[in-house]
Amino acid sequence: MDAPVMSESIEDIEIQLLLDAVYRHYHYDFRHYARASIKRRLLQARSQWGYDSISDIQSAVLHDESILPKLLNFLTVQVSEMFRDPSYFRALREKVVPHLRTYPSLKVWVAGCSQGEELYSLAVLFAEEGLFERTIFYATDINPAALRAAQAGIYPLDRIQLFTENHRLSGGHSSLSDHYTADYDRAVFSKSLRERTVFSDHSLVTDAAFGEMHLISCRNVLIYFDRELQDRVVGLFGESLVRGGFLGIGSKESLRFSEHADMFAEFVREERIYRRSSQ
């Protein structure tokens, strides 16, 4: 006798229906995010909001638009820090910047910018290396609340010690305190650091490429996508970069198995920095 075919759990069906509903009604597409991660976050939301089932979340988000921003905060990752993984920024400073100096103007895309920590890290680095005035930064995310936080550039003061140590380890030339003002329990980063930044709502799942980028930094984002979506996004980055442009991804990520891997060559292997090939 053949073994019985295991059917999907009710919970998994509910999750699929919820993601379909969010896409059809609000046009936010989480259908190709890594399912284990999405499930974990939805279960956290269900518990925190006191719902009995994922279906209750679906009903709430479809009938009350005020629920959507709260759901987006669960489904998108908002945890980062300035100069996170300092060796990555040191590699940019020592190995990528010399190549970027050869361009009269630069475009840098921080994809999935969250609350702006990566953007301000790059802005400080580019200022220290004398490239800031020739650079336009593009900071994008699908979460409107995250974009507003990135534009504000305000972080709890108790995070600054970590940011400062990361900056030092990254090879920073200045004092990080030169770039923010302490205000009670907050650190407010200088408006000058974002005066050359375009903040934009952009989905890596559904939106088109940004053209003629010299550096794309999108770290610890691909790990939340399934293989199909990862391939889509890597192709998008390849289309967005100039020939010889650079792509930085997270330490847990790789382009090795992407169908678009031949668009890139490893540049700094240990830091997952790739260079767009000339072909």
Side-chain angles (χ1 to χ4, degrees), residues 245 247 255 261-268 273-277:
L247 169 64
L255 302 187
D262 59 354
M263 299 176 74
F264 299 90
E266 285 186 334
F267 188 72
V268 184
I273 298 174
Y274 298 82
R275 194 169 192 185
R276 178 71 164 88
S277 63

Side-chain angles (χ1 to χ4, degrees), residues 2-21:
D2 293 336
V5 177
M6 296 298 292
S7 61
E8 286 185 278
S9 71
I10 297 298
E11 208 166 63
D12 289 334
I13 294 171
E14 288 181 308
I15 290 172
Q16 185 62 53
L17 292 173
L18 169 60
L19 299 183
D20 287 341

Side-chain angles (χ1 to χ4, degrees), residues 82 124 127-128 160 164 167 172-182 188-193:
M82 285 191 68
V124 168
E128 290 176 333
I160 294 299
T164 299
H167 173 247
H173 304 324
S174 61
S175 170
L176 191 62
S177 63
D178 294 341
H179 302 283
Y180 68 85
T181 301
V188 183
F189 277 81
S190 172
K191 290 182 179 179
S192 64
L193 287 177

